Amino acid sequence: MTSIGSDDRGWLRAMPAEAGRDALLSRAGHRVLSARRLSDLVQGRPPGVTGSQWTSASRASFDFVVYAADTGRPVVAVEIGPVPSAGSAEQRVERLKDAVSAAVSLPVLRIGSPTLSAAEHGRRLVEYVIDARAYAEGGAAAETDPAPVGFRDILGRLPDGRTGPVNDLGALTRAAAVEAYVAGQVADPIVRGLHVRWVDGPAQGWSWVQVRPDACLIEQVSVTEQRFSCGMDAARLAEDLATVAVGERLRESSVADLLPRVEWTAQIAALSQRRHELVGGFAFDHLCAD
């Protein structure tokens, strides 16, 4: 199989024949390969991309590529890791990859986090997104039917015996925060969070726990969907992933770089003043008072 259509996707290479042997995982009609270069995905330099752009971008890689098992089509390319700093070489490469991906209509999902990594968290995240999309595709209701329960809100039995959302990625962190509180390692057992989606930008989520009465451990994650949908609210996914990152920090006892609580409250208040730039406004005014 060397071609997957005559439209824009005709520029994309099909899933390689050895995918069954080399696949990282197979799930719900998808196969996932890791560490794929852009040149592994795109057949030659597409229109609108200069030779210099193609030379640089083709050597760059994605952490994972999800393929449809039946057609061989790439469903999405996934990246997980720190957001490149403005003006850096990493940011220039990211923009080149975005330009080529847009030219061939390659869907891209980018998770920006200084703590989460492809090696440690990638497989679970990819599985989660595949499951969320499958649930969303199978749960469409007629106009007269009540809205189906979202993937994130499905209730079931949790590991501690309670009933709660079984697809809450932050559940283990919430349990770890309680344990840390009992051990005297944090000042408050509650893991808090907020999320937003910028009109012309990514979804972002924050999660934090008070390590001291006057200082918080904070993690931020961005989720960028390009020609792709995660099957759930990307902003809520960003918050849940930020909660996962908080759990990593607690597990490793990495509680340096704390932010004073009053400063964090001021940052939330400043974010609330930009509600006109957010999809759906700002729903966390209750967090603006310290």
Side-chain angles (χ1 to χ4, degrees), residues 10-125:
W11 284 95
L12 297 177
R13 295 184 187 276
M15 180 172 56
E18 68 274 12
R21 182 178 69 251
D22 296 341
L24 175 69
L25 64 97
S26 297
R27 192 178 188 91
H30 297 79
R31 285 182 177 154
V32 181
L33 303 184
S34 60
R36 305 296 291 171
R37 285 189 174 189
L38 201 54
S39 58
D40 295 329
L41 301 173
V42 180
Q43 304 184 88
R45 177 167 62 90
V49 176
T50 69
S52 176
Q53 287 176 324
W54 173 243
T55 298
S56 298
S58 63
R59 294 193 296 264
S61 63
F62 291 100
D63 294 317
F64 306 96
V65 176
V66 180
Y67 294 87
D70 56 350
T71 66
R73 289 180 181 269
V75 175
V76 64
V78 183
E79 281 191 334
I80 306 170
V83 176
S85 57
S88 65
E90 291 78 11
Q91 185 187 59
R92 289 193 292 273
V93 171
E94 183 177 282
R95 288 177 175 174
L96 287 174
K97 289 166 65 177
D98 285 348
V100 173
S101 298
V104 298
S105 297
L106 172 67
V108 175
L109 173 64
R110 186 170 284 120
I111 308 298
S113 168
T115 300
L116 303 181
S117 69
E120 294 294 326
H121 310 96
R123 178 174 180 137
R124 177 69 186 101
L125 172 61

